[in-house]
Amino acid sequence: NAGVTQTPKFQVLKTGQSMTLQCAQDMNHEYMSWYRQDPGMGLRLIHYSVGAGITDQGEVPNGYNVSRSTTEDFPLRLLSAAPSQTSVYFCASNTLGPLTSPLHFGNGTRLTVT
Amino acid sequence: GENVEQHPSTLSVQEGDSAVIKCTYSDSASNYFPWYKQELGKRPQLIIDIRSNVGEKKDQRIAVTLNKTAKHFSLHITETQPEDSAVYFCAAPWKAAGNKLTFGGGTRVLVKP
């Protein structure tokens, strides 16, 4: 099993550009989520999904969109990139939600917005 | 996340000594407390977790203790080794934020040989 796969690993954007961070899991997990990691601030939840067709906002959703058309895929879209979105982004998945089983993280995407 | 505070932010220990990281949380309804380890440039990975119906859990050199009355939980690493050098994150669910899992700010642990 590949687990949770994120692409790309690195990305540089200019302010105002849009892009999609890809996330796929092959463990048939119902729950998927996106976090951003900034120095000294831990991992902050952006958006999450409890199943195909269902998404909800996390702590820091502004500037990001998500969709969940299949169980496997959970892409994160940056609508108009801003320097404040420079961060490392992690996708995670687990079964039964984050409160009852471990989160499986992808390898992360390091995004720089200039 | 606002629900969880983690201390210290950095911790330097001599190889063989013990390391303790403490987290406090504000939501008294929280009932699940995982710890994640993140090595440099890698993804976070679960190392141990505890649920609110137990006060302590051990797995070889690591242990977690929970004090629900005081609303804090701690990670204990004994006989530290260089491979324990990493950033450690605690987490807890926060009902006020829709029962989402919120993370502490992280502790960078450096084990000196």
Side-chain angles (χ1 to χ4, degrees):
Chain A
N1 282 349
V4 179
T5 303
Q6 286 184 241
T7 56
K9 291 186 178 180
F10 303 94
Q11 183 70 50
V12 178
L13 291 177
K14 294 188 174 170
T15 298
Q17 288 184 315
S18 62
M19 79 158 296
T20 299
L21 279 62
Q22 301 293 343
C23 176
Q25 53 94 6
D26 61 1
M27 297 173 283
N28 203 31
H29 285 167
E30 303 94 339
Y31 188 93
M32 296 187 73
S33 50
W34 277 100
Y35 289 86
R36 60 176 289 173
Q37 183 175 32
D38 303 294
M41 300 192 72
L43 293 149
R44 291 183 294 168
L45 182 64
I46 305 171
H47 284 287
Y48 68 98
S49 168
V50 299
I54 306 168
T55 63
D56 204 349
Q57 296 181 348
E59 302 170 74
V60 288
N62 293 339
Y64 308 95
N65 271 357
V66 292
S67 60
R68 184 93 179 269
S69 56
T70 66
T71 300
E72 295 78 19
D73 300 300
F74 191 44
L76 178 72
R77 281 183 291 278
L78 278 70
L79 309 173
S80 177
S84 61
Q85 294 179 304
T86 294
S87 187
V88 179
Y89 291 84
F90 286 98
C91 178
S93 76
N94 70 311
T95 186
L96 300 177
L99 307 182
T100 55
S101 65
L103 289 170
H104 297 259
F105 286 91
N107 284 325
T109 296
R110 185 175 294 275
L111 175 68
T112 302
V113 182
T114 61
Chain B
E2 295 177 21
N3 183 43
V4 181
E5 289 191 5
Q6 182 172 348
H7 297 283
S9 57
T10 59
L11 181 58
S12 181
V13 297
Q14 207 67 37
E15 182 177 358
D17 287 350
S18 295
V20 181
I21 304 168
K22 182 176 177 178
C23 287
T24 58
Y25 60 96
S26 58
D27 187 349
S28 57
S30 294
N31 56 4
Y32 173 66
F33 308 93
W35 286 91
Y36 286 82
K37 174 183 180 182
Q38 186 179 29
E39 296 177 358
L40 189 62
K42 302 284 183 65
R43 66 182 119 184
Q45 292 190 293
L46 181 83
I47 54 172
I48 196 167
D49 57 13
I50 191 169
R51 300 181 194 278
S52 59
N53 57 345
V54 298
E56 183 176 3
K57 183 176 178 180
K58 285 185 178 179
D59 184 2
Q60 299 181 358
R61 295 188 297 107
I62 60 172
V64 56
T65 57
L66 172 64
N67 184 329
K68 287 216 73 179
T69 303
K71 291 192 284 187
H72 65 72
F73 57 109
S74 299
L75 179 71
H76 304 254
I77 307 173
T78 58
E79 301 172 24
T80 53
Q81 300 169 5
E83 54 263 38
D84 295 328
S85 294
V87 179
Y88 293 81
F89 293 98
C90 62
W94 189 16
K95 287 213 164 183
N99 219 26
K100 300 176 184 64
L101 196 66
T102 55
F103 285 81
T107 298
R108 184 173 299 278
V109 174
L110 175 62
V111 180
K112 296 182 287 186

